[in-house]
């Protein structure tokens, strides 16, 4: 099965109609390569909203009051996550569960100004502080450390080259 594949509404409707005619969800899943949970979701959307429930929705913005109503319906045990989605026409359980998480962590104020999308990288970068110039002694110590590291590297390289040469002489 391909992740994140978008299906046309006529395809969704065809699968729902086949299920209503008696086809099992598992057979439809195997035949068409769609997960059983996705088919169940389409069936529930069709049963509660009709054909508009299967149509693709553009990015919809929800008001603070609407989010609060949905979350309170869930938290008061009136509806499950799935039922909240069907009753309030929210396309995904993930949307409702994220609202619940925000409400539990921050409260009502968490719904005020949510930034959509990915955070910019500028927020994570730290400002570079200009380095003060090194003294002559510090420069010499830094150069000495660099030369020691270079010397060690050359010794290891020479040792590896010697290891390659000695086995070849033994084979002859």
């Amino acid at each position: 099965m391909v992740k994140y594949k978008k299906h046309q509404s006529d395809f969704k409707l065809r699968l729902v109609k086949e299920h209503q005619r008696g086809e099992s969800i598992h057979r439809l899943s195997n035949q068409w390569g769609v997960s059983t949970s996705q088919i169940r979701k389409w069936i529930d959307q069709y049963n509660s909203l009709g054909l508009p429930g299967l149509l693709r929705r553009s990015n919809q913005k929800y008001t603070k009051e609407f989010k609060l109503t949905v979350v309170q319906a869930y938290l008061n045990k009136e509806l499950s996550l799935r039922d909240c989605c069907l009753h309030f026409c929210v396309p995904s359980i993930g949307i409702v569960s994220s609202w619940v998480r925000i409400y539990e962590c921050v409260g009502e104020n968490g719904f005020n100004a949510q930034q959509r999308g990915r955070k910019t990288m500028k927020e994570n970068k730290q400002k570079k502080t200009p380095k003060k110039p090194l003294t002559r002694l510090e420069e010499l110590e830094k150069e000495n450390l660099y030369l020691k590291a270079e010397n060690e590297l050359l010794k290891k390289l020479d040792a590896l080259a010697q290891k390659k040469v000695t086995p070849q002489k033994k084979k002859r």
Side-chain angles (χ1 to χ4, degrees), residues 86-141:
L86 293 173
H87 185 264
F88 294 105
C89 300
V90 177
S92 172
I93 291 175
I95 295 171
V96 177
S97 63
S98 70
W99 292 346
V100 170
R101 195 175 332 109
I102 291 169
Y103 182 78
E104 288 174 343
C105 293
V106 184
E108 286 183 36
N109 295 333
F111 298 136
N112 283 342
Q114 285 183 324
Q115 180 182 1
R116 294 174 60 109
R118 191 175 199 173
K119 291 183 180 178
T120 60
M121 293 295 290
K122 292 178 184 175
E123 294 174 11
N124 297 336
K125 289 185 179 178
Q126 297 175 351
K127 293 182 179 178
K128 293 182 181 179
T129 56
K131 295 183 180 180
K132 58 181 178 182
L134 299 175
T135 64
R136 178 73 179 142
L137 179 63
E138 290 172 337
E139 285 179 6
L140 291 174
E141 286 176 348

Side-chain angles (χ1 to χ4, degrees), residues 23-149:
E23 288 290 333
S24 73
I25 293 176
H26 292 287
R27 186 184 169 300
L28 292 171
S29 172
N30 291 336
Q31 180 181 357
W32 296 102
V34 179
S35 68
T36 55
S37 61
Q38 186 65 52
I39 295 174
R40 278 191 199 97
K41 180 180 169 185
W42 293 340
I43 291 168
D44 290 343
Q45 287 174 336
Y46 182 78
N47 289 338
S48 65
L49 303 171
L51 184 59
L54 299 177
L55 297 176
R56 216 180 276 149
R57 299 178 192 106
S58 61
N59 290 340
Q60 188 171 351
K61 294 184 180 179
Y62 300 99
T63 63
K64 175 184 174 182
E65 293 77 23
F66 178 78
K67 292 177 186 178
L68 193 59
T69 305
V70 174
V71 168
Q72 287 175 345
Y74 172 72
L75 292 177
N76 294 338
K77 306 288 186 212
E78 294 173 19
L79 299 170
S80 66
L81 282 176
R82 191 175 190 171
D83 293 337
C84 282
C85 290
L86 293 173
H87 185 264
F88 294 105
C89 300
V90 177
S92 172
I93 291 175
I95 295 171
V96 177
S97 63
S98 70
W99 292 346
V100 170
R101 195 175 332 109
I102 291 169
Y103 182 78
E104 288 174 343
C105 293
V106 184
E108 286 183 36
N109 295 333
F111 298 136
N112 283 342
Q114 285 183 324
Q115 180 182 1
R116 294 174 60 109
R118 191 175 199 173
K119 291 183 180 178
T120 60
M121 293 295 290
K122 292 178 184 175
E123 294 174 11
N124 297 336
K125 289 185 179 178
Q126 297 175 351
K127 293 182 179 178
K128 293 182 181 179
T129 56
K131 295 183 180 180
K132 58 181 178 182
L134 299 175
T135 64
R136 178 73 179 142
L137 179 63
E138 290 172 337
E139 285 179 6
L140 291 174
E141 286 176 348
K142 187 175 176 181
E143 183 180 0
N144 190 17
L145 188 63
Y146 176 80
L147 291 172
K148 282 182 182 179

